Amino acid sequence: MRRQRNRTKLSMEDIEFRTTLLRSLKNCLEAADKCSEILKKSNETLDVMIKNQLEIKHTRTEITNTIQTPNSRPEERKNQGKDLKCEEAKNTQPEKQNEKRIRKYEDSVRSLWDSFKRTNIRIIGVPENEREQDIENLFEEIMTENFPHLVKEIDLQVQEAQRTPNKRNPKRTTPRHIIIKMPRAKDKETILKAARERNPVTYKGIPIRLSADFSTETLQARREWQEIFKVMNTKNLQPTLLYPAKLSFRTEGQIKSFTDKEKLKEFITTKPVLYEMLKGIL
């Protein structure tokens, strides 16, 4: 494995690369802040619309009470009902549009984080007392122990290596994950493919796991496919989870891909065999 050992001197290429990386990170964070601000404004708008809906329901209750009064006029009741329905319809449409807009912003933020993590490898299960100040060399040892052929075939380089922050649960007993940032997504995919084929991967004989690094939202989206994935796998549909959370499988000689369960549900309604297979879990 060829690596630059002299870390005291930085070439101009290293300086330019780090400058570009910091600039890209700054742009990502600024974009995330903008999305968060837009999402905040959208939530405020949604709160106003919910308040309007409550007022409409209150008015409808008053009209219902009036209708139940013997002296109320039928024509007046009819007009009040029509006005209320029109007002409710006007408020419902913007509310649906606002919900779609919020989902769009959330998807944009998720996509932004996944793009930033696109070249990352997550290592799970390495004890925390293992050379915390030398994680890059630890990764080299893992590669040499498990994939010596890759060490010889490709120029493995590491841009960054670190433990994940321990913010969520400071009392956790399991070791924090290690994040390895590769210079190219192709190298990451090559390593993960080799890890899937070898299974299990080890470090000094201890089983560990290598996986792609995703945002929390994307991880949840991938988990939601697991049950469907298992059923399709038993039926020889050759299911695959594509990056970042898209389900792909083969049916009737064609490969179909879906980004969410709703689209898959619409599709299987036209395919009786798939419908019978998945109706209990969709």
Side-chain angles (χ1 to χ4, degrees):
M1 184 178 292
R2 299 186 298 275
R3 294 172 50 90
Q4 185 178 353
R5 299 297 182 181
N6 187 354
R7 302 189 180 184
T8 60
K9 296 182 180 180
L10 293 176
S11 65
M12 289 302 297
E13 290 81 0
D14 291 331
I15 295 174
E16 290 177 0
F17 173 77
R18 295 190 179 189
T19 302
T20 301
L21 183 62
L22 289 173
R23 188 180 298 113
S24 299
L25 177 58
K26 180 181 177 183
N27 291 338
C28 288
L29 293 176
E30 289 177 351
D33 289 340
K34 290 181 181 179
C35 289
S36 298
E37 183 64 26
I38 294 173
L39 181 61
K40 180 181 178 182
K41 292 181 180 179
S42 298
N43 286 333
E44 291 175 353
T45 303
L46 183 60
D47 290 339
V48 173
M49 297 178 68
I50 292 174
K51 182 179 179 181
N52 291 339
Q53 288 282 33
L54 292 174
E55 291 179 354
I56 291 173
K57 289 181 181 180
H58 180 69
T59 304
R60 172 179 282 182
T61 302
E62 291 181 348
I63 292 175
T64 301
N65 293 336
T66 303
I67 291 175
Q68 293 174 351
T69 303
N71 296 329
S72 60
R73 291 176 294 178
E75 189 63 28
E76 183 179 352
R77 294 200 305 268
K78 184 177 179 180
N79 291 336
Q80 287 176 334
K82 287 182 178 180
D83 292 342
L84 183 60
K85 287 181 179 180
C86 290
E87 185 178 354
E88 188 171 8
K90 290 179 181 179
N91 282 275
T92 301
Q93 188 65 24
E95 181 179 351
K96 292 181 179 179
Q97 293 176 352
N98 198 51
E99 289 175 354
K100 290 181 179 179
R101 194 178 298 112
I102 291 173
R103 284 197 299 269
K104 182 178 179 181
Y105 294 144
E106 290 175 343
D107 290 342
S108 296
V109 173
R110 187 182 81 173
S111 178
L112 184 66
W113 277 112
D114 285 334
S115 177
F116 182 70
K117 295 169 177 282
R118 185 68 186 264
T119 60
N120 289 3
I121 295 177
R122 184 177 287 261
I123 306 177
I124 304 169
V126 177
E128 293 205 34
N129 58 358
E130 291 290 340
R131 303 193 346 237
E132 293 301 305
Q133 304 302 321
D134 196 16
I135 294 179
E136 289 185 24
N137 286 336
L138 185 149
F139 176 64
E140 289 182 15
E141 292 180 13
I142 292 173
M143 294 298 299
T144 302
E145 179 178 338
N146 295 275
F147 317 111
H149 61 288
L150 288 182
V151 175
K152 297 177 181 179
E153 291 175 6
I154 62 178
D155 182 16
L156 292 176
Q157 299 179 4
V158 175
Q159 285 187 7
E160 186 179 344
Q162 62 180 358
R163 290 275 184 180
T164 56
N166 200 10
K167 295 180 179 179
R168 293 189 176 180
N169 184 8
K171 296 182 180 180
R172 64 182 297 170
T173 56
T174 56
R176 292 175 296 162
H177 300 174
I178 295 174
I179 303 299
I180 303 293
K181 191 170 187 62
M182 308 296 294
R184 294 177 297 273
K186 182 179 179 181
D187 292 344
K188 179 204 76 171
E189 294 298 337
T190 300
I191 294 171
L192 293 183
K193 181 180 178 182
R196 288 192 294 269
E197 293 173 351
R198 177 179 172 84
N199 193 25
V201 178
T202 60
Y203 171 66
K204 294 182 178 180
I206 301 174
I208 61 174
R209 186 157 63 92
L210 305 186
S211 70
D213 186 31
F214 296 105
S215 65
T216 304
E217 294 77 12
T218 297
L219 282 174
Q220 179 59 35
R222 291 174 70 89
R223 292 190 192 102
E224 290 176 357
W225 286 122
Q226 290 304 314
E227 191 173 358
I228 296 172
F229 186 96
K230 291 178 182 178
V231 173
M232 288 186 169
N233 203 30
T234 60
K235 302 298 181 179
N236 199 30
L237 294 178
Q238 302 174 23
T240 305
L241 272 179
L242 303 178
Y243 186 93
K246 181 187 297 185
L247 178 69
S248 174
F249 61 93
R250 182 178 292 275
T251 178
E252 298 178 349
Q254 296 181 333
I255 295 178
K256 298 292 183 180
S257 299
F258 299 90
T259 56
D260 58 64
K261 287 185 176 181
E262 287 302 318
K263 292 181 180 179
L264 176 59
K265 192 173 183 179
E266 292 176 5
F267 174 74
I268 67 172
T269 55
T270 63
K271 308 292 181 181
V273 176
L274 283 176
Y275 180 80
E276 287 298 319
M277 185 188 308
L278 301 174
K279 66 179 182 179
I281 56 178
L282 262 182

